Amino acid sequence: PTEVMRSEHLQIKDFLEKIHHEIITDTDKEITQLENELLEVLTNHNQKEEGILYPWIDNSASETEIKDAFRKMENISVENRG
């Protein structure tokens, strides 16, 4: 499941970059279509995360692994969160 999720992260990033480009170039010609496509990918992505990925992690990871993962996430600097 994580391979699909990572692929969708790249799609989401691509849509955001395209929307950003439309905004800064002030063309706005494709922005509504891009926003709709982004929302479609985000909706499907969130459903998979909440319905498949998160329950899988909850059932697979030990309490220690979960706490360790949260500790590591808290220690990630803002610059490395890209």
Side-chain angles (χ1 to χ4, degrees):
T2 59
E3 184 176 334
V4 172
M5 303 306 284
R6 287 190 302 268
S7 172
E8 289 175 351
H9 286 171
L10 294 176
Q11 285 180 300
I12 292 164
K13 181 179 179 184
D14 186 51
F15 279 121
L16 291 171
E17 288 172 354
K18 287 177 181 176
I19 290 169
H20 179 255
H21 176 74
E22 292 295 320
I23 291 170
I24 63 171
T25 59
D26 204 23
T27 57
D28 294 338
K29 55 186 171 189
E30 293 184 38
I31 204 160
T32 301
Q33 178 66 29
L34 290 169
E35 288 172 342
N36 289 336
E37 292 175 23
L38 172 62
L39 287 174
E40 184 177 333
V41 172
L42 282 172
T43 299
N44 291 329
H45 182 79
N46 288 340
Q47 288 172 346
K48 286 181 222 164
E49 279 184 335
E50 294 172 10
I52 298 169
L53 188 62
Y54 297 158
W56 175 71
I57 291 169
D58 288 342
N59 292 325
S60 301
S62 70
E63 196 66 33
T64 302
E65 290 171 319
I66 293 170
K67 286 179 182 178
D68 187 44
F70 276 103
R71 191 183 83 259
K72 287 178 182 178
M73 286 187 284
E74 289 171 352
N75 291 326
I76 296 173
S77 69
V78 173
E79 295 84 26
N80 292 328
R81 291 185 185 174

